[in-house]
Structures are given as C-alpha cells and as structure tokens.
Amino acid sequence: MDHVIRKIYSNYEKEENWLNEMSAKGMSLTNYTWGRYTFTETPKNEYTYRIELLENLPTHPESIAYIKFLGETGVEFVASYMRWIFLRKKSSEGTFDVYSDIESKIKHYMRINVLWITVMCLEFIPSIYNLVIGMLTLDSSYKLGTFRIANFNIFFSIPTFLFGLVFLRLWWQNRKVINKLKLEKSIRE
C-alpha cells in the first residue's frame, strides 16, 4: 500500500536523515515530486538513502552514464527532481556513501551553492527592480492615477526580497560547511 507524505526540505542532509528514519519504520521511498514523497511498506531498515545534486539533468548523457555506473555497484535510482536524484542501497550490503573523500564532498556542496546563488539572484533582482520602479512612480502616480501600479510594484518586491534572504541563508550555511571541509582537508594533508 502506498503512503504519500507532503514535506519540503531545504537541507538535503536533513532530508536524507528523514528518509533513513522512514526506512527504519519500514517505509521505502518509491517516488518523489516537488514536496510529495510516495512510500511503500517494506521490512524495517531495508534501504539506506542518499540524495545528490548532479552537475547536469538526469537525462543528460553524462548523468545517465553515472546513474548506470551506480546501478552496477548495487545503488538503485529511485527518483529525480530537476538535478536532484534520490538513491538507495540495500542496508544489508553495508554502508552507503556517495562521497568517500573530502574533495568530492566539497564539490557537491559547491554545486549546491551555485544553485542557491542562482535562485537568490533570481529573487533579489526582480525585488530590487520592482522596489525602484515602485518608488520612482510613487510621486508621479498621484498625478497619473497609477498609484495602484506603484503600490503593486512595492508590494511585490517584499516577498521576493524575503525569498532572496532565505536563499542567502541557505548559501551561507553551505558556505560554512565548505569552509569546515576545506579546513579538515588541510589538516589531513
């Protein structure tokens, strides 16, 4: 029997932990679409889950080859959403880590940071644009009867600016993890 849970994560490690907690309860992920997880009942702790952000879309030839390679090592491709892929491996086959060295972990976090910076800019740029347009047209709006348009521009800039701040925070958190990993790498060398 399938169970659907709706949940949104911004931290892939917390999401991984949650998926592994669900596996410990006997619920195995079978599909994912934005914020919608589909589980099926299986024996407890049957799978260990990992999530990865690919360099390209899963339909790209390099990604297809990578996913095929993972399949040859016993890793199952469960689902994808944009460039994110959900992977699992039978827990009985031992530990499952996608990244075995610090350098590959750093590269993964840097890919995630590029995503957060891109989305952050896509939020901040229209926010600032709408705020400036709204402020510039505010004085003349009384004369032209376009006060509502100026208010709309200012009003629209507020939520997009707040979303930009969310992605700025996500970027900053990942940046701290990258710096910690780089420090750990330098200590080991």
Side-chain angles (χ1 to χ4, degrees):
M1 180 175 162
D2 285 347
H3 300 276
V4 174
I5 298 175
R6 296 183 187 279
K7 209 168 190 170
I8 295 177
Y9 282 94
S10 60
N11 181 317
Y12 88 95
E13 290 174 326
K14 289 180 181 178
E15 189 173 11
E16 266 183 9
N17 291 337
W18 178 71
L19 290 172
N20 288 312
E21 288 170 10
M22 293 299 288
S23 178
K25 294 176 184 177
M27 302 294 286
S28 296
L29 182 71
T30 57
N31 196 11
Y32 174 83
T33 53
W34 195 79
R36 184 179 186 270
Y37 300 83
T38 305
F39 293 91
T40 190
E41 294 177 21
T42 56
K44 293 180 179 181
N45 289 318
E46 184 171 4
Y47 295 105
T48 302
Y49 289 89
R50 295 290 175 245
I51 302 171
E52 182 176 2
L53 179 67
L54 298 174
E55 290 183 32
N56 303 296
L57 290 171
T59 55
H60 189 275
E62 287 179 20
S63 298
I64 291 170
Y66 175 68
I67 292 168
K68 184 178 178 184
F69 165 75
L70 289 174
E72 292 169 358
T73 64
V75 176
E76 293 179 53
F77 171 83
V78 179
S80 67
Y81 182 74
M82 302 180 87
R83 288 175 32 213
W84 291 99
I85 59 172
F86 294 78
L87 306 167
R88 70 182 179 190
K89 187 173 183 179
K90 293 265 188 187
S91 298
S92 60
E93 294 178 16
T95 60
F96 172 35
D97 288 316
V98 176
Y99 303 108
S100 57
D101 63 306
I102 293 175
E103 188 61 36
S104 60
K105 287 180 185 178
I106 291 171
K107 287 180 181 178
H108 186 245
Y109 275 101
M110 291 180 85
R111 279 196 304 272
I112 295 170
N113 262 2
V114 168
L115 174 67
W116 294 150
I117 288 170
T118 303
V119 176
M120 179 181 64
C121 289
L122 290 173
E123 295 295 334
F124 278 146
I125 291 170
S127 172
I128 293 168
Y129 174 80
N130 277 304
L131 183 62
V132 169
I133 295 298
M135 298 303 278
L136 290 175
T137 59
L138 195 58
D139 289 339
S140 63
S141 64
Y142 290 111
K143 298 171 191 166
L144 300 175
T146 58
F147 181 69
R148 292 182 184 174
I149 294 173
N151 279 346
F152 176 76
N153 283 27
I154 293 170
F155 176 76
F156 183 71
S157 69
I158 294 168
T160 54
F161 185 79
L162 293 175
F163 280 124
L165 289 177
V166 167
F167 290 105
L168 175 64
R169 182 173 181 254
L170 293 171
W171 171 82
W172 184 255
Q173 289 172 338
N174 271 1
R175 190 74 214 145
K176 289 194 299 189
V177 172
I178 291 169
N179 288 339
K180 182 180 172 185
L181 288 170
K182 285 182 177 179
L183 178 63
E184 184 179 337
K185 180 182 172 189
S186 69
I187 290 171
R188 289 185 182 190
E189 290 179 343

